[in-house]
Amino acid sequence: LGRTMIAAILMKEAIFQRLLEGHATDTYAWVPFSTLCNRLFDKANGSSSYDDEISMYEEVDWLVVDGIQVGKLNDAGRQFRSNVLEKLFGERMDKNLPNILVFQDDISQFDDLSQDFGPTINSIINSRKTFRVAMVEKKK
């Protein structure tokens, strides 16, 4: 449907802002949702293999998380995922850093995504400052 392409265009525009005063040193990261979760799960289970990458995700000025899917886990898995995502996005929200979240599902179908992704992502999604681009397949 072009969701990733729209995110790439937004990131390209963010990179063009480097020409503006105060943005010359902006940093960027793009991570697939499954990779992000796997790294956060490893860290939560005591591994330090991805500490540098996770720290970068917390600190970059612009973060794209691509391929986010709702569901796909049992209740315990969703709770664990929401806990590990909460720390990362809580840090980013505290620093007022922009996120580009690319969902594979029509999130307008869901009232509350905090059980799946934590309260911070739910707050980001439902914030008045969040711009949504709805791209859903039309039924034939």
Side-chain angles (χ1 to χ4, degrees), residues 34 43 54 135:
S34 59
K43 180 176 177 140
I54 293 168
M135 297 181 72

Side-chain angles (χ1 to χ4, degrees), residues 78-129:
R78 286 181 16 220
Q79 180 65 39
F80 187 65
R81 179 177 65 190
S82 71
N83 287 339
V84 298
L85 290 170
E86 184 62 25
K87 181 183 180 312
L88 173 80
F89 285 96
E91 291 288 327
R92 292 190 57 76
M93 192 172 197
D94 288 347
K95 296 173 185 171
N96 205 27
L97 296 171
N99 305 289
I100 299 173
L101 305 174
V102 182
F103 283 85
Q104 298 304 306
D105 304 290
D106 179 6
I107 59 172
S108 68
Q109 303 289 326
F110 304 95
D111 293 329
D112 183 12
L113 291 168
S114 59
Q115 286 187 348
D116 282 286
F117 304 107
T120 300
I121 288 182
N122 191 61
S123 295
I124 292 169
I125 292 167
N126 294 308
S127 172
R128 291 177 37 176
K129 297 190 297 185

Side-chain angles (χ1 to χ4, degrees), residues 2-140:
R3 293 176 179 104
T4 300
M5 183 181 73
I6 295 294
I9 292 168
L10 292 170
M11 186 63 92
K12 178 181 157 229
E13 291 302 315
I15 292 168
F16 278 143
Q17 287 186 6
R18 292 182 98 174
L19 300 173
L20 301 175
E21 187 175 328
H23 293 280
T25 60
D26 282 1
T27 54
Y28 314 90
W30 190 297
V31 62
F33 183 66
S34 59
T35 301
L36 174 65
C37 287
N38 288 336
R39 290 176 177 175
L40 291 171
F41 291 164
D42 282 353
K43 180 176 177 140
N45 288 320
S47 173
S48 59
S49 300
Y50 299 109
D51 285 355
D52 292 340
E53 289 88 345
I54 293 168
S55 178
M56 178 192 58
Y57 300 146
E58 289 177 358
E59 299 292 328
V60 293
D61 295 301
W62 289 84
L63 177 64
V64 176
V65 181
D66 194 7
I68 303 171
Q69 292 184 314
V70 179
K72 300 274 185 179
L73 295 173
N74 62 27
D75 287 344
R78 286 181 16 220
Q79 180 65 39
F80 187 65
R81 179 177 65 190
S82 71
N83 287 339
V84 298
L85 290 170
E86 184 62 25
K87 181 183 180 312
L88 173 80
F89 285 96
E91 291 288 327
R92 292 190 57 76
M93 192 172 197
D94 288 347
K95 296 173 185 171
N96 205 27
L97 296 171
N99 305 289
I100 299 173
L101 305 174
V102 182
F103 283 85
Q104 298 304 306
D105 304 290
D106 179 6
I107 59 172
S108 68
Q109 303 289 326
F110 304 95
D111 293 329
D112 183 12
L113 291 168
S114 59
Q115 286 187 348
D116 282 286
F117 304 107
T120 300
I121 288 182
N122 191 61
S123 295
I124 292 169
I125 292 167
N126 294 308
S127 172
R128 291 177 37 176
K129 297 190 297 185
T130 297
F131 183 77
R132 292 183 186 196
V133 177
M135 297 181 72
V136 294
E137 290 185 55
K138 293 185 179 183
K139 294 183 180 177
K140 297 179 182 181

